Amino acid sequence: MNAFYNKHGIGDVLLVQLQTETPEKIHPEQFGDVTLIKDGEGNIAGFNLFNASTYVELADGEKVELSEALVTELQNALAKNGVDYVLEVDLSPKFVVGFVEAKEKHPNADKLNICRVNVGSEELQIVCGAANVEQGQKVVVAKVGAIMPSGMLIKDAELRGVPSSGMICSAKELALPDAPEEKGILVLPEDAEIGSSFEVKA
């Protein structure tokens, strides 16, 4: 789940995205202050909460920080407007320290590598195009569902026929101050804790 709020730009409306993919066809349904956005199969892809500040405590900024308190407030807002839907939200950090367990050349692309990355709770297969990625490095991983500072949403993908779940990030992609202009992933110190959260300013 991702949530966006820009009172100055669009008014007192909280936009909540529940699916990583934007449906080709959408079917809105109105329930009081809630507009459900359904896809072609009738699944709820997201919803807009009007008069949001009367239901949820919000600071005016594009990306809204997810928390248990926010999920509870949203669940109550849905119930107050007659929407019978249970929010299932993954509150685990989306930017984490990963360890590159293995690296092999992509069979169909000279400049791509297939990396097996341990992020603590799981092991991810990530296709990476950075020339400086190596086995044994500690790196920053944007997991599926992460929103980059640029606004790009990280999704499961397939690069030249190989599945990739997440992205190994550069300092520039993470919008870190004094990020080098040279291309390449950010390599973290050896004492960085695998699976720990890496703070990224949206």
Side-chain angles (χ1 to χ4, degrees):
M1 181 176 101
N2 292 300
F4 307 89
Y5 184 71
N6 184 347
K7 190 171 185 177
H8 180 71
I10 59 172
D12 192 13
V13 184
L14 181 68
L15 311 177
V16 179
Q17 182 182 17
L18 299 173
Q19 295 180 2
T20 54
E21 299 289 339
T22 303
E24 288 182 19
K25 291 184 179 179
I26 61 170
H27 304 278
E29 280 186 32
Q30 194 73 32
F31 295 83
D33 283 334
V34 175
T35 301
L36 294 182
I37 311 296
K38 294 189 174 182
D39 61 19
E41 296 172 2
N43 300 311
I44 298 175
F47 61 90
N48 298 339
L49 178 61
F50 294 86
N51 302 309
S53 59
T54 63
Y55 297 97
V56 182
E57 202 171 306
L58 293 164
D60 192 9
E62 298 260 335
K63 178 85 167 42
V64 176
E65 199 67 39
L66 293 183
S67 66
E68 282 187 33
L70 176 67
V71 173
T72 300
E73 288 173 331
L74 290 177
Q75 192 69 70
N76 290 339
L78 291 175
K80 281 178 187 173
N81 286 280
V83 179
D84 184 17
Y85 181 77
V86 177
L87 293 169
E88 293 179 6
V89 182
D90 176 12
L91 292 171
S92 64
K94 294 294 179 282
F95 293 92
V96 296
V97 175
F99 179 74
V100 182
E101 300 271 8
K103 174 190 119 170
E104 61 182 80
K105 293 298 290 177
H106 191 296
N108 304 317
D110 291 341
K111 293 185 178 178
L112 296 179
N113 293 292
I114 303 168
C115 300
R116 202 172 73 244
V117 186
N118 176 0
V119 293
S121 58
E122 58 186 325
E123 207 167 74
L124 303 175
Q125 177 172 287
I126 300 175
V127 177
C128 180
N132 67 327
V133 68
E134 294 294 345
Q135 181 178 346
Q137 289 172 332
K138 300 269 181 80
V139 295
V140 179
V141 174
K143 296 167 69 176
V144 170
I147 295 182
M148 302 300 294
S150 66
M152 181 176 74
L153 175 65
I154 302 300
K155 307 175 185 177
D156 280 313
E158 203 170 278
L159 298 172
R160 295 285 185 92
V162 175
S164 181
S165 296
M167 184 169 88
I168 301 174
C169 304
S170 70
K172 196 170 184 180
E173 288 164 335
L174 295 166
L176 298 181
D178 304 320
E181 284 301 315
E182 306 89 60
K183 291 185 176 178
I185 58 162
L186 174 66
V187 180
L188 298 174
E190 287 185 16
D191 61 356
E193 186 183 342
I194 297 169
S196 62
S197 174
F198 187 91
E199 190 174 337
V200 174
K201 302 235 181 290

